Amino acid sequence: MSDDYEISSDPARLDAALVHHWLSTDAHWALGRSRDKQDRAIAGSLNFGAYDRVSGAQAGYARVVTDRATFAWLCDVYIDRAARGKGLGTALVAAVRDELEPYGVRRILLSTPDAHGVYAKIGFRGLAEPDEWMAYSYS
């Protein structure tokens, strides 16, 4: 990652309006998500931002739903289109992984249809026993 960016989990630095705009208009998994729903998701999660060191402008976001003890779900990873291609996504996810490690979280899960290469760079792999996992969907 370029030295032009820094990553922080300080919730006071998040630009919630910008995060909502990114996700609700440009992230296939969150298109149309309401601002209220996004704000509730932020409030109930551990959040990470990537910021330009000079201007302080937010350039990326990642959210983790976790108990900080046994389990974490990484979601809503987004890098601003103007900041892509600089390794920022990989650095952001590595920062998430590194922050969770001291808690002894046993696994971090995520779902992606198209970014396996980004996550594989820092150690994510397909499920070893996918037949053991189940999901419930309301829709």
Side-chain angles (χ1 to χ4, degrees), residues 6 29 37 42 60 66 83 94 115 139:
E6 62 184 337
W29 66 90
K37 185 170 279 203
I42 288 171
T66 183
S139 54

Side-chain angles (χ1 to χ4, degrees), residues 3-59:
D3 288 338
D4 295 338
Y5 298 96
E6 62 184 337
I7 297 169
S8 173
S9 60
D10 178 358
R13 293 187 70 182
L14 283 180
D15 183 338
L18 179 61
V19 168
H20 173 254
H21 173 74
W22 283 337
L23 297 178
S24 68
T25 65
D26 194 39
H28 63 84
W29 66 90
L31 292 175
R33 184 181 290 170
S34 73
R35 176 65 191 268
D36 176 65
K37 185 170 279 203
Q38 183 61 45
D39 287 347
R40 286 186 287 130
I42 288 171
S45 302
L46 174 61
N47 301 276
F48 293 78
Y51 304 92
D52 182 283
R53 286 189 191 273
V54 175
S55 70
Q58 191 167 346

Side-chain angles (χ1 to χ4, degrees), residues 97-110:
R97 178 202 60 201
D98 294 348
E99 185 150 333
L100 290 172
E101 185 177 17
Y103 295 110
V105 170
R106 187 163 179 198
R107 69 178 43 93
I108 304 169
L109 291 181
L110 63 88

